[in-house]
Amino acid sequence: QVQVVESGGGLVQAGESLRLSCTVSGLRVDGFTMGWFRLVPGKEREGVLCISPSGGVTYITDSVKGRFTISRDNAKNSVYLQMNSLKPDDTAMYYCAAGYSGGPNSCANEAAVHYWGQGTQVTVSS
């Protein structure tokens, strides 16, 4: 059974940083594209960015460019989201996505995601 577990969310002030972690069990992620989505109540879940098996990064949400970075540690079967200079608009539930049908080209498509985590809440106060 595949499990995807996120951690690292919390309440921070604008301008601060958070690092989200996502660890997968039951599946080796070496050959999979991994990514992050976020969901704001009342809106559709949106892709944020993803990382290919070779480490190539695809940004889906322009507003996070220059502030968010994604990395992976295949030895730990994990992917990370470093979020700097956080803004109130970044407030959302963040979901880890493990594996995409179609690889990095499908990073914006939540229907392409193979496995989801339960989400971790990020709240940024102004």
Side-chain angles (χ1 to χ4, degrees), residues 35-104:
W36 293 89
F37 284 73
R38 65 186 183 184
L39 177 63
V40 175
K43 296 185 178 181
E44 293 185 356
R45 184 158 51 182
E46 66 172 358
V48 181
L49 73 175
C50 67
I51 185 168
S52 71
S54 62
V57 177
T58 301
Y59 284 89
I60 306 302
T61 301
D62 287 341
S63 66
V64 307
K65 289 181 180 179
R67 300 187 298 120
F68 289 14
T69 57
I70 186 172
S71 60
R72 63 191 300 157
D73 185 339
N74 290 334
K76 295 183 178 180
N77 232 32
S78 296
V79 65
Y80 307 97
L81 179 62
Q82 178 67 43
M83 305 184 293
N84 299 327
S85 302
L86 281 161
K87 304 175 180 181
D89 284 349
D90 296 318
T91 295
M93 184 72 81
Y94 284 74
Y95 295 89
C96 179
Y100 294 72
S101 299

Side-chain angles (χ1 to χ4, degrees), residues 10 12 14 17 19 23 51 55 64 82 91 97 100-101 106 113 116 124:
V12 296
S17 299
R19 185 180 189 237
T23 299
I51 185 168
V64 307
Q82 178 67 43
T91 295
Y100 294 72
S101 299
S106 301
V113 175
W116 290 99
V124 185

